Amino acid sequence: MDFVFMLTRSDRTVEDCLELVREIRPLRLGHVGFKDVGVPLPVLERLAQAIRDAGATSYMEVVSTSPEDCLRSARIARNLGIDRLLGGTLVDETLEILAGSPTAYFPFPGRPAGHPTKLGGHPLEIEQHCRTFMRKGCAGADLLAYRATEADPLELVRAARRGLGSGLLIAAGSVTSVEKIRALDAAGADAFTIGSAVFDGSFSPTKGSTLSQLADVLAACGSEAGERRVG
């Protein structure tokens, strides 16, 4: 699986995100992202450029809750030239905004709500949503598997995998251990995101630095420092 390092904590982009991009550059991470909230637009502009300069695929995840803010974030992602936009549920409107741009869209299946976001929904619902996403032209889905409130997280991953077919399945939120990473891999996820578990040290409680936490995440998913851009 691909590891997407999110420069976020508690569903917000961290204020020192630009410094962190410089700090992690020696690891040559292939996938780096952030949320649409937490820092002002000028910082997001510089951050998107810094991720590109590092040679990584860029991600922005929408966690805004109002329809107006979600669509505003989609416009920001397009203007920033983000490679992959994650989240949101206004699929038709978001695809219209992104039309003609290189930004690929991965909406939330199920019923996300609140901030930090929790996920309502059962496997059949998730599978049906994912089939609809692919029919509409999405690149895949952004599944908040370990934020599920109504079903087993891994059952939702397997349901999303069935619905997406060849589409990419990204598992986001509350991936906090080697065991969870391995379970996501076995259930069919193509990628996963981690942010808070690196910053609060909970992924590897005996390690002190961000770089050490990241190295352990990479080892857990079978990746190595030196991954490069995947288009």
Side-chain angles (χ1 to χ4, degrees), residues 19-209:
E19 290 84 352
L20 281 163
V21 171
R22 290 192 289 271
E23 179 182 348
I24 67 175
R25 192 155 182 167
L27 290 178
R28 295 168 59 84
L29 297 178
H31 307 267
V32 181
F34 52 89
K35 301 293 174 72
D36 64 333
V37 298
V39 297
L41 180 57
V43 176
L44 293 183
E45 292 171 343
R46 293 170 61 194
L47 180 57
Q49 185 60 54
I51 294 171
R52 279 194 293 273
D53 291 345
T57 298
S58 60
Y59 296 70
M60 188 175 90
E61 187 171 45
V62 177
V63 293
S64 296
T65 55
S66 74
E68 296 80 7
D69 286 342
C70 288
L71 295 181
R72 174 178 172 273
S73 293
R75 295 186 187 97
I76 289 173
R78 176 180 176 134
N79 292 338
L80 293 180
I82 296 300
D83 294 310
R84 295 175 176 176
L85 177 64
L86 312 182
T89 57
L90 301 173
V91 177
D92 292 330
E93 297 91 333
T94 300
L95 286 173
E96 183 177 355
I97 289 169
L98 298 178
S101 79
T103 302
Y105 185 39
F106 300 78
F108 287 140
R111 290 175 274 108
H115 187 86
T117 311
K118 300 294 184 182
L119 181 67
H122 296 280
L124 181 59
E125 185 177 4
I126 297 297
E127 182 176 350
Q128 291 173 337
H129 283 184
C130 288
R131 292 187 187 280
T132 299
F133 296 164
M134 297 307 294
R135 188 174 67 249
K136 290 178 180 290
C138 296
D142 182 28
L143 179 65
L144 299 168
Y146 286 113
R147 302 276 183 87
T149 59
E150 300 177 10
D152 176 77
L154 297 177
E155 286 298 318
L156 298 186
V157 175
R158 286 186 278 269
R161 180 74 278 156
R162 292 192 297 271
L164 291 174
S166 61
L168 293 179
L169 174 55
I170 300 172
S174 301
V175 181
T176 56
S177 67
V178 173
E179 291 74 22
K180 286 185 175 181
I181 291 172
R182 290 175 178 167
L184 289 172
D185 190 16
D190 297 296
F192 64 97
T193 73
I194 293 182
S196 295
V198 164
F199 292 121
D200 65 20
S202 61
F203 189 87
S204 292
T206 62
K207 303 289 182 67
S209 75

Side-chain angles (χ1 to χ4, degrees), residues 200-223:
D200 65 20
S202 61
F203 189 87
S204 292
T206 62
K207 303 289 182 67
S209 75
T210 298
L211 293 180
S212 294
Q213 297 282 325
L214 290 171
D216 284 357
V217 176
L218 288 169
C221 65
S223 299

